[in-house]
Amino acid sequence: MFGVKPYLNFNGNCEEAINYYKDCLGGEVEFMQRYGDSPMGGEGMNDKILHTQVKIGDSIIMASDNPPGQPSTSGSNISLAIGTDDVAKAETMFDKMAEGGEITMPMQETFWAERFGMLTDKFGINWMFNCDKPHEESEQVAA
């Protein structure tokens, strides 16, 4: 399947972050490989994540821990968007992800969404939660 799959890099806490996302968003870890299970293993890295993939709904997030000497900067260079048509589910996921993070826009109704909110989670990753407004059936006029 062709599509965009966000890839997240962490400075040693990839497994914690992926398990957090899996638990908060109802996902499933489909694949996880450690540096120690590859030719890239080495002192202090064997238990770190070389590559992992978590499925959330119809989407995939991939991630890894950075090799020593190649740290990444968490922050504003990526946002991950979660869409649903279930207001309660959107609010529950948002509330869980907000724990330990910072809400940049509280969940609220907007002109395009039944609910929309933005936050930066406790790992420094930006998230957008969107719950579309229901589509109204077009009225048919009897002739």
Side-chain angles (χ1 to χ4, degrees), residues 10-12 35 40-46 48 65-71:
F10 296 92
N11 294 319
Y35 277 89
M40 297 177 67
E43 189 172 324
M45 289 300 292
N46 285 337
K48 301 300 179 191
D65 284 312
N66 289 317
Q70 296 179 18

Side-chain angles (χ1 to χ4, degrees), residues 63-75:
S64 66
D65 284 312
N66 289 317
Q70 296 179 18
S72 64
T73 302
S74 296

Side-chain angles (χ1 to χ4, degrees), residues 6-104:
Y7 203 106
L8 308 176
N9 293 304
F10 296 92
N11 294 319
N13 61 347
C14 178
E15 185 170 13
E16 177 187 1
I18 289 300
N19 284 325
Y20 176 75
Y21 300 147
K22 173 189 68 103
D23 293 343
C24 288
L25 303 173
E28 176 184 354
V29 175
E30 293 187 323
F31 178 81
M32 186 176 287
Q33 182 178 22
R34 299 181 187 283
Y35 277 89
D37 298 328
S38 78
M40 297 177 67
E43 189 172 324
M45 289 300 292
N46 285 337
D47 65 337
K48 301 300 179 191
I49 305 303
L50 175 64
H51 179 74
T52 189
Q53 184 169 299
V54 62
K55 183 173 183 175
I56 300 169
D58 294 328
S59 299
I60 300 291
I61 295 174
M62 298 182 292
S64 66
D65 284 312
N66 289 317
Q70 296 179 18
S72 64
T73 302
S74 296
S76 62
N77 62 337
I78 187 170
S79 290
L80 301 176
I82 301 290
T84 181
D85 59 1
D86 183 330
V87 171
K89 184 175 183 175
E91 289 177 343
T92 297
M93 289 188 299
F94 184 87
D95 291 344
K96 285 182 178 181
M97 293 288 285
E99 292 176 20
E102 180 180 341
I103 295 172
T104 52

